[in-house]
Amino acid sequence: MIQDEFTLICSYALVGYEGVETLRILGVEPSPIGPRVRWEAPGMPAERERIVSGAGYVTLGPPSGPMMLDMLSRTLAARWGNGSPRCPANWRESLQQRFPRLFTEEDPCVGPGWSWLFEAGATAIRERGVPRNFKTVQTKEKFGAARWYWSVDESCEYTRNIIATVEHLSAYICEDCGRPGRIRKGGWAKCKCDIHASTKSAR
Ligand SMILES: [Zn+2]
């Protein structure tokens, strides 16, 4: 199951990525944060692309393939950590208690299907050290994907990349349940799995 979810989300999220044809899934191994899908992708560049505009401005491209794969592996580890992917009703409070420097009592202000994604992002940030005076300004869903607005006193590219990866991956994970999903265009763009796309009330 976990490997199927990994493969399906990759097939949505890594379309057009350079070197994606070199991605190979090696298996699933236990880890302190849950069962981790192990992978290799020797042809995928590790760095985010820097796009220079005609006027000389530099903007960052989407998160790199390896960053996406690492965050997806972490997300599914959290999701399957208890053997079955059930999101407890108090998931938000639980994240606030575990990551008090990252989330206020409003956050993450998104659906439960993204709980493991935010947990994975928070764990990754804390592993490298939460930047000084890090503050989550707002979390929400917008145009079908997660937004995580934040402020900080010091430059921290690592944190910027982690949060960009969380936002980017959310467009391929059902906000209701955490299964592989895609943004469904309709009256209101939402990221849903096939089940939640076909019935608004299913849980
Ligand atoms: Zn769903």
Side-chain angles (χ1 to χ4, degrees):
M1 287 298 289
I2 185 170
Q3 205 161 312
D4 294 340
E5 290 188 352
F6 190 90
T7 304
L8 193 51
I9 292 171
C10 285
S11 76
Y12 300 153
L14 297 178
V15 170
Y17 268 74
E18 181 185 346
V20 68
E21 70 281 357
T22 65
L23 171 62
R24 204 159 64 89
I25 293 169
L26 305 175
V28 181
E29 290 174 1
S31 85
I33 61 168
R36 291 286 301 263
V37 175
R38 298 292 173 195
W39 51 271
E40 64 174 18
M44 298 189 92
E47 296 293 319
R48 282 176 85 172
E49 188 184 358
R50 290 176 184 274
I51 301 159
V52 183
S53 75
Y57 292 110
V58 177
T59 52
L60 290 172
S64 77
M67 284 195 294
M68 293 278 280
L69 289 159
D70 180 66
M71 190 59 62
L72 178 56
S73 171
R74 289 171 175 275
T75 299
L76 295 181
R79 173 166 158 80
W80 290 90
N82 294 321
S84 70
R86 286 215 179 79
C87 186
N90 66 343
W91 67 272
R92 193 172 288 116
E93 292 76 10
S94 169
L95 280 186
Q96 289 156 2
Q97 284 167 9
R98 289 172 56 199
F99 303 99
R101 292 188 58 202
L102 293 176
F103 299 124
T104 70
E105 54 189 40
E106 310 276 309
D107 307 302
C109 189
V110 295
W114 289 344
S115 61
W116 301 287
L117 182 57
F118 274 86
E119 178 179 346
T123 304
I125 291 171
R126 196 165 63 184
E127 275 178 15
R128 290 281 284 260
V130 180
R132 189 157 39 93
N133 291 340
F134 179 94
K135 186 171 180 297
T136 291
V137 177
Q138 189 184 26
T139 48
K140 65 177 181 179
E141 177 273 333
K142 188 175 181 184
F143 303 133
R147 294 287 185 274
W148 183 347
Y149 301 114
W150 53 289
S151 66
V152 76
D153 282 355
E154 58 193 2
S155 166
C156 50
E157 194 171 341
Y158 180 76
T159 300
R160 177 179 298 112
N161 286 338
I162 293 284
I163 290 178
T165 309
V166 166
E167 292 182 335
H168 208 73
L169 259 184
S170 68
Y172 308 100
I173 293 175
C174 177
E175 188 181 359
D176 287 352
C177 73
R179 289 189 192 95
R182 283 167 292 163
I183 294 179
R184 319 279 173 162
K185 301 282 197 277
W188 204 264
K190 292 280 184 187
C191 189
K192 304 274 189 187
C193 65
D194 290 343
I195 295 169
H196 284 110
S198 63
T199 164
K200 284 184 177 168
S201 58
R203 281 282 183 270

